[in-house]
Amino acid sequence: MERLQKVIAYAGIASRRKAEELILEGKVKVNGKVVKELGTKVSNSDVIEVNGIKLEKEDKVYFLLYKPRGVISAVTDDKGRKTVTDIFKKHVPERIFPVGRLDYDTSGLLLLTNDGEFAYQMTHPKFKIDKTYIARLKGIPTIDGLKKLQRGIKLEDGKTAPAQVSMTSFDTSANKAICEITIHEGRNRQVRRMFEAIGTPVVKLKRERFAFLDLTGLNPGEYRELTKHEVKLLRVLAETGKID
């Protein structure tokens, strides 16, 4: 027996958090009856429907995308803008969704999958999966400003976890700089808000690395499937905090 939201997530319908929302909204049926209890457990013999569609198990798939700027990190968009899943539609039959998100104006490494448990492990702050960004800034951060980011800086939704941050280059005449920053949280527009908090707003942002993964060999809009070994290593990293 497994919790209903976990089964929905495993089936690739949505992340576990989204699955919980669907249950609470009365959009999930088990054996023809609407279920709104998050603690409900189901077996392999139970018939589950989400939004009137019978749940079918899919093979798990895992992709690494070089997300271009100007694309939404979502499955659908009510404004009709291009989403990251649109890039896969012609070639990937599984119902995949992005692991976390990158802002509309942010480019770089984004994972997509139909494995809700994997997505949870990759995004929840308690698993401390590092994400590294390159930020082009308006202004030049002070040493004190960088130290604030390294210690954790107070934002409107709370203090951030300590970040690894360094300034890789700067131009005093143009009043601009480039910084590399590594965080393991994933709050909305977090990196942009962190640099704004020290007075150096982000002009351009790119995620270069996700844990040990990078964008080698890919151009914006291109993707590749993760190897079984890479998926295994990511799981081990989430569960133990290290890989050999």
Side-chain angles (χ1 to χ4, degrees):
M1 302 286 283
E2 291 277 8
R3 287 178 177 247
L4 180 56
Q5 59 265 40
K6 188 173 182 180
V7 173
I8 293 172
Y10 275 156
I13 302 297
S15 66
R16 186 182 296 190
R17 183 179 298 175
K18 180 61 178 176
E20 291 175 350
E21 292 176 5
L22 291 170
I23 293 169
L24 292 173
E25 291 168 2
K27 295 180 179 180
V28 178
K29 290 182 179 180
V30 177
N31 300 325
K33 296 182 179 180
V34 174
V35 173
K36 292 186 177 182
E37 296 293 329
L38 294 181
T40 301
K41 291 190 175 183
V42 294
S43 68
N44 289 332
S45 61
D46 289 317
V47 177
I48 302 167
E49 296 175 65
V50 180
N51 287 322
I53 300 174
K54 184 180 175 182
L55 186 152
E56 301 287 351
K57 290 185 178 180
E58 295 180 323
D59 291 335
K60 300 296 185 289
V61 292
Y62 310 86
F63 294 97
L64 186 162
L65 169 69
Y66 187 160
K67 176 194 170 299
R69 296 176 70 187
V71 178
I72 299 294
S73 295
V75 176
T76 60
D77 180 61
D78 56 9
K79 296 179 181 178
R81 294 170 295 183
K82 185 175 182 179
T83 70
V84 289
T85 53
D86 289 335
I87 297 172
F88 293 81
K89 281 184 177 177
K90 291 183 180 180
H91 307 287
V92 178
E94 291 84 5
R95 294 167 291 185
I96 59 175
F97 54 87
V99 177
R101 57 172 292 157
L102 289 179
D103 299 330
Y104 182 77
D105 292 323
T106 299
S107 65
L109 198 159
L110 182 68
L111 301 182
L112 292 97
T113 185
N114 59 351
D115 186 339
E117 184 68 18
F118 174 81
Y120 176 74
Q121 288 183 314
M122 295 301 105
T123 54
H124 197 287
K126 74 177 182 180
F127 294 107
K128 298 184 178 181
I129 302 295
D130 285 341
K131 296 101 175 173
T132 300
Y133 300 79
I134 301 297
R136 296 182 181 272
L137 309 175
K138 180 181 180 181
I140 301 172
T142 63
I143 293 175
D144 183 60
L146 294 177
K147 286 183 177 179
K148 287 180 179 178
L149 298 182
Q150 290 167 350
R151 292 192 298 263
I153 192 164
K154 190 173 182 180
L155 301 177
E156 61 269 23
D157 53 353
K159 188 176 181 180
T160 66
Q164 300 173 44
V165 59
S166 62
M167 185 160 53
T168 58
S169 67
F170 63 92
D171 185 336
T172 52
S173 61
N175 192 32
K176 62 184 181 181
I178 298 175
C179 282
E180 179 177 286
I181 182 169
T182 299
I183 63 174
H184 64 258
E185 298 174 294
R187 305 186 204 179
N188 185 39
R189 299 178 67 82
Q190 180 174 339
V191 172
R192 293 180 184 274
R193 290 191 291 129
M194 289 172 73
F195 280 109
E196 285 173 5
I198 64 168
T200 52
V202 172
V203 176
K204 194 173 182 180
L205 188 63
K206 177 184 177 184
R207 185 193 277 171
E208 287 276 326
R209 294 190 298 280
F210 187 104
F212 54 84
L213 300 170
D214 60 33
L215 295 165
T216 299
L218 295 177
N219 295 313
E222 294 181 342
Y223 62 88
R224 68 172 179 85
E225 193 164 2
L226 294 182
T227 67
K228 290 182 179 180
H229 185 62
E230 287 171 332
V231 174
K232 181 180 178 180
L233 286 179
L234 287 169
R235 291 189 187 280
V236 170
L237 183 61
E239 291 166 4
T240 69
K242 62 182 179 179
I243 50 177
D244 295 329

